Amino acid sequence: MKIIFWVMGLLAVIYFMSAFTQTTRGIDGSNQRTAANSVKKLKRYMTTQQQHIFETSYGVLGAIKSKEGPDAFLPFVDGKSPDEIIELARQEVTARIASGDPDFVKYGSWENLVGLGTPTASKSNGKPVTAQPLRNSVRGGRDETPLAQPEPAR
């Protein structure tokens, strides 16, 4: 009986080990759901700024490839790493800006599209707009005043 439990335990470990040790290094473009799941897994280990650039790149490539046909995007991104996606999007956007595409020429450069470029003038007052950090990770100091002590019960 003990042998059966040991064998079952060993088989369970082998079965569940694949779920915990599987790492995603690229996008699985077999269908829309697996692509979305692999993008979510890839973003898990990125900083907020890297996530923003990757999401923007993925979306821009999706918009560009959807104009070529409904089945052009997933095979294009299948197996690509986040760095490859960002580089492909940068090349596509730069080429489209150079060709005068009205959707992209208004940004002027890849850095402006993803929000890394120089500050631009605000439409309302003409003053330069400074880029705000994506997440405020600075924690303010604690208040030095002691908390009020409750009165003892009588």
Side-chain angles (χ1 to χ4, degrees), residues 71-93:
D71 298 330
F73 177 62
L74 290 178
F76 184 73
V77 297
D78 188 29
K80 303 259 189 320
S81 70
D83 293 332
E84 291 173 325
I85 295 291
I86 292 169
E87 187 58 34
L88 286 170
R90 179 178 304 173
Q91 291 171 357
E92 287 281 337
V93 168

Side-chain angles (χ1 to χ4, degrees), residues 19-35:
F20 295 114
T21 59
Q22 182 180 4
T23 58
T24 303
R25 300 199 189 281
I27 295 174
D28 180 10
S30 56
N31 62 43
Q32 194 67 32
R33 177 178 278 172
T34 58

Side-chain angles (χ1 to χ4, degrees), residues 27-95:
I27 295 174
D28 180 10
S30 56
N31 62 43
Q32 194 67 32
R33 177 178 278 172
T34 58
N37 286 338
S38 58
V39 165
K40 188 185 330 180
K41 288 177 186 177
L42 287 169
K43 288 180 0 184
R44 196 176 290 162
Y45 302 104
M46 295 180 183
T47 64
T48 306
Q49 187 172 12
Q50 289 171 333
Q51 287 179 10
H52 172 71
I53 294 171
F54 176 64
E55 288 173 347
T56 304
S57 302
Y58 190 77
V60 165
L61 282 177
I64 290 172
K65 292 299 176 182
S66 68
K67 292 178 182 176
E68 295 177 9
D71 298 330
F73 177 62
L74 290 178
F76 184 73
V77 297
D78 188 29
K80 303 259 189 320
S81 70
D83 293 332
E84 291 173 325
I85 295 291
I86 292 169
E87 187 58 34
L88 286 170
R90 179 178 304 173
Q91 291 171 357
E92 287 281 337
V93 168
T94 304

Side-chain angles (χ1 to χ4, degrees), residues 49 52-53 90 109-119 131 134:
Q49 187 172 12
H52 172 71
I53 294 171
R90 179 178 304 173
S109 71
W110 167 254
E111 287 77 19
N112 291 340
L113 177 71
V114 295
L116 299 177
T118 59
L134 295 175

